Amino acid sequence: MTVERGLRWADVDPARPREGMTGPVLPASVLDATPECLFVTGPDGRIVFANRRVQELTGFAPSDLEGASAQLLLPEDLRAEQRGTFESRCHRADGATIAVEVHLGRIEGPEPLVVVTLRDITEGRNAEARIAFLAYHDSLTGLPNRELFEELLAGAIARARRHDLAVAVVVLNLDNFRLVNDSLGHQAGDELLAELAARLRVCTRETDVVARLGGDEFLLLLADLPRGSGPQQDDQPLQISESVGARVHEALREAFLLSGAEFYASASLGISLFPRDSMDAQTLLKNADAAMHHSKRVAAGGSVVFCEDDDDEDDAMERLSLSTRLRRAVESQHWVLHYQPIVDLGDCSVMGVESLVRWHDPNGGIVPPGEFIPLAEEMGLIDAIGDWVVDEMTSQHRIWCDEGLDLQVSFNLSPRQLSSPDLARHILGKLQAGRIDPSRVMVEITESTAMADPDRTQTILTELRSWGLTLAIDDFGTGYSSFARLKHMPVQVLKIDRSFVHDVNRDRDLAGMVRAMIQLAQSLGMTPLAEGVETRAEYEFLHANGCRLAQGYLFSRPVPPDQIAALARGRLLPDSG
């Protein structure tokens, strides 16, 4: 800045001469013309001049600032001996605070003046802060990421060592997240993850840490847990961990509203404790992850506590082997269909059969669906298996029809299959190719699948029904149905899950629930069908309470197709024993 010498302060503001202030200064016209935000303070720290740029940056008019303390704008005590550049916070007239770069200059004279220039660096500092935040946080949910979680976990373990406390790590993975992306799109998937993050914050303790590992996996850190004494010293931290897990499951019972559609989600949890399961952070995480995967395999939608007896390495190798063999099975179509009779409880005649796929593994014999269907879903192989099932079922039904055997055949749709917009036309095309009357085919979907995305499900089921197919809700009672939704779904059969049927004749609570399910089905114009009937007493209870159809080992196990004709031409009347 060039100083014009020989000008007095009266030249800066002729109307307001300042007594005793002489020396070289800049005229007001030059100061106002500079592109920088600039003001000048006297020896007492009060502003003697402010240019027009100050108002643009701070919202204060120059006339409002002149005579006021510079601390109205800056917190620093600006003295004439100061020089150089630094960063500070500047107060605006509207109460906001902005980041500024401050440069201090000096005008020599009998009473030196300080020239202060300000540059707004808020945007840059916000960007830097954002970058710093994202280095340790997830951009979608705002939760800590794995790196920050591991730092916090290490600190929690260090405290636990010093004070004889416990630490728990919980790994959470959504069970049906792929269905959201496949059916509603990735934006809906992001909505689900963001809403889940919010629910996890609410249902965990204030001292807990909720983090996102990536994808649909989340981490919970439960630190500073009290321990007991003696053999039961880990009971209390375990109870706290399980209670947090229970609250998480409870929080998921409420539907998520995604892109205007309701979606019900469940999650599998794995829990690992310090010092019970591991003495270091990495192993603690690994153990919790192993427990979560174990939960997915044996009890999806539940919680599993890590057990030292589990051989994780063997499990991982077994899973890898199973995945490889399953891909080969899809390529070579190593499948067989068995059929389980569906019986009319009035006369115990066979009115239909359910198609149940089995994997004929050359290395391991017959593999039941519960051992490979979840993995096939996860690997994206279920569509190919589902296509094979429909093709084989229609071919077999054609053979039975040619033999004079008229049975209704049913098959199950997976959640992934139900997400296909062309599902109805695809199935109809296969039935037409096999010359099968659609009215002789029943399509089954589980209750949890139906309620995961009820609007989309209803659209697809309505289209299937329009072609004449019979529709059934499978495993009823195991999900969280909205009766209002169920009422409007074009479903004809309600299949009561086997868990309610077992010992229904001896358990008063179960009996009440099954009666209510039968009455619900009847009131909605649906036919109740009980699964898993194994005893004569169960059969008699169901028949006496108005259940129309049933299937189970009491009547017949699933059998190869060549045994169905003999069963269907007789009566599967249970003996009196």
Side-chain angles (χ1 to χ4, degrees), residues 19-69:
E19 183 178 354
M21 292 188 179
T22 61
V25 295
L26 288 173
S29 59
V30 175
L31 297 178
D32 266 337
T34 181
E36 296 176 306
C37 172
L38 176 150
F39 64 90
V40 180
T41 65
D44 58 357
R46 294 189 174 276
I47 299 172
V48 297
F49 174 82
N51 71 358
R52 288 175 296 182
R53 297 288 185 183
V54 172
Q55 184 168 2
E56 295 176 10
L57 182 68
T58 70
F60 288 104
S63 59
D64 295 332
L65 293 173
E66 292 175 8
S69 170

Side-chain angles (χ1 to χ4, degrees), residues 487-498:
K487 176 182 178 181
H488 295 292
M489 284 191 173
V491 173
Q492 291 76 54
V493 177
L494 204 63
K495 300 187 72 172
I496 302 170
D497 186 70
R498 65 185 66 246

Side-chain angles (χ1 to χ4, degrees), residues 544-560:
N545 284 277
C547 188
R548 165 94 180 277
L549 305 173
Q551 61 187 107
Y553 287 178
L554 177 67
F555 308 106
S556 173
R557 293 174 177 268
V559 297

Side-chain angles (χ1 to χ4, degrees), residues 345-363:
L345 292 184
D347 58 7
C348 291
S349 62
V350 178
M351 57 77 59
V353 292
E354 180 180 1
S355 310
L356 299 166
V357 66
R358 302 289 188 264
W359 174 11
H360 191 272
D361 185 2
N363 300 318

Side-chain angles (χ1 to χ4, degrees), residues 168-238:
V169 170
V170 181
V171 176
L172 177 154
N173 183 269
L174 287 172
D175 296 320
N176 47 356
F177 181 65
R178 177 179 291 179
L179 175 61
V180 180
N181 284 337
D182 289 347
S183 60
L184 299 177
H186 289 281
Q187 181 177 347
D190 288 348
E191 291 176 14
L192 173 58
L193 295 174
E195 174 61 22
L196 174 59
R199 292 191 190 184
L200 291 177
R201 290 191 191 99
V202 172
C203 69
T204 50
R205 305 174 307 163
E206 288 186 6
T207 55
D208 298 336
V209 176
V210 181
R212 184 183 175 206
L213 181 59
D216 58 342
E217 283 197 358
F218 291 78
L219 298 169
L220 306 182
L221 169 58
L222 317 182
D224 305 322
L225 303 179
R227 300 182 73 197
S229 58
Q232 286 76 41
Q233 60 184 346
D234 291 318
D235 286 358
Q236 189 172 357
L238 184 58

Side-chain angles (χ1 to χ4, degrees), residues 63-138:
S63 59
D64 295 332
L65 293 173
E66 292 175 8
S69 170
Q71 290 187 335
L72 179 65
L73 298 178
L74 298 174
E76 284 77 19
D77 181 14
L78 304 178
R79 297 182 300 276
E81 63 270 18
Q82 291 179 293
R83 301 286 177 87
T85 303
F86 58 90
E87 292 184 12
S88 183
R89 307 295 295 178
C90 178
H91 304 292
R92 286 178 45 85
D94 58 8
T97 302
I98 58 175
V100 291
E101 181 183 84
V102 183
H103 177 75
L104 299 183
R106 178 183 170 95
I107 298 178
E108 300 293 347
E111 294 185 8
L113 306 177
V114 178
V115 179
V116 184
T117 58
L118 303 178
R119 184 169 67 88
D120 187 357
I121 58 172
T122 304
E123 184 175 343
R125 291 300 171 265
N126 286 346
E128 291 176 3
R130 179 68 174 165
I131 292 170
F133 179 84
L134 292 178
Y136 289 97
H137 293 81
D138 172 56

Side-chain angles (χ1 to χ4, degrees), residues 505 533-541 554 573-577:
N505 56 295
V533 181
E534 297 183 357
T535 68
R536 173 90 185 200
E538 292 168 357
Y539 152 73
E540 290 176 346
F541 173 89
L554 177 67
L573 183 65
D575 59 36
S576 58

Side-chain angles (χ1 to χ4, degrees), residues 200-448:
L200 291 177
R201 290 191 191 99
V202 172
C203 69
T204 50
R205 305 174 307 163
E206 288 186 6
T207 55
D208 298 336
V209 176
V210 181
R212 184 183 175 206
L213 181 59
D216 58 342
E217 283 197 358
F218 291 78
L219 298 169
L220 306 182
L221 169 58
L222 317 182
D224 305 322
L225 303 179
R227 300 182 73 197
S229 58
Q232 286 76 41
Q233 60 184 346
D234 291 318
D235 286 358
Q236 189 172 357
L238 184 58
Q239 290 171 1
I240 294 172
S241 304
E242 291 178 329
S243 68
V244 170
R247 288 200 298 272
V248 169
H249 290 305
E250 184 65 28
L252 292 175
R253 289 178 180 269
E254 182 182 348
F256 292 83
L257 188 62
L258 308 175
S259 301
E262 285 187 346
F263 185 88
Y264 288 86
S266 63
S268 298
L269 275 61
I271 301 171
S272 178
L273 295 175
F274 168 92
R276 193 195 77 157
D277 302 322
S278 173
M279 299 298 289
D280 66 272
Q282 289 300 321
T283 307
L284 203 62
L285 275 168
K286 176 185 174 184
N287 291 345
D289 188 65
M292 180 274 291
H293 283 291
H294 186 66
S295 174
K296 274 195 172 294
R297 290 195 301 272
V298 302
S303 299
V304 169
V305 178
F306 176 77
C307 178
E308 187 64 40
D309 294 335
D310 293 340
D311 192 334
D312 299 330
E313 188 171 339
D314 288 347
D315 281 352
M317 292 303 297
E318 181 181 349
R319 181 179 173 83
L320 178 61
S321 172
L322 183 64
S323 300
T324 303
R325 286 156 43 214
L326 185 56
R327 287 192 182 278
R328 290 174 181 165
V330 171
E331 294 171 0
S332 304
Q333 295 189 341
H334 288 158
W335 316 113
V336 293
L337 273 190
H338 285 182
Y339 299 87
Q340 185 172 40
I342 297 174
V343 174
D344 187 320
L345 292 184
D347 58 7
C348 291
S349 62
V350 178
M351 57 77 59
V353 292
E354 180 180 1
S355 310
L356 299 166
V357 66
R358 302 289 188 264
W359 174 11
H360 191 272
D361 185 2
N363 300 318
I366 298 296
V367 182
E371 295 185 19
F372 69 87
I373 290 296
L375 182 58
E377 281 270 7
E378 186 177 330
M379 295 174 64
L381 302 176
I382 197 66
D383 290 337
I385 299 174
D387 280 350
W388 182 89
V389 168
V390 176
D391 288 337
E392 181 67 17
M393 181 194 70
T394 54
S395 176
Q396 182 59 53
H397 190 269
R398 184 71 263 155
I399 293 173
W400 285 331
C401 287
D402 292 343
E403 294 175 352
L405 193 62
D406 184 21
L407 293 173
Q408 185 181 62
V409 290
S410 72
F411 68 98
N412 295 274
L413 282 178
S414 73
R416 184 179 176 88
Q417 288 174 288
L418 199 63
S419 69
S420 171
D422 298 322
L423 176 67
R425 289 187 293 275
H426 184 66
I427 291 176
L428 183 66
K430 289 183 174 295
L431 297 182
Q432 290 174 335
R435 296 181 292 119
I436 301 300
D437 180 358
S439 67
R440 304 306 295 152
V441 177
M442 182 163 70
V443 178
E444 301 183 20
I445 61 171
T446 65
E447 179 187 14
S448 57

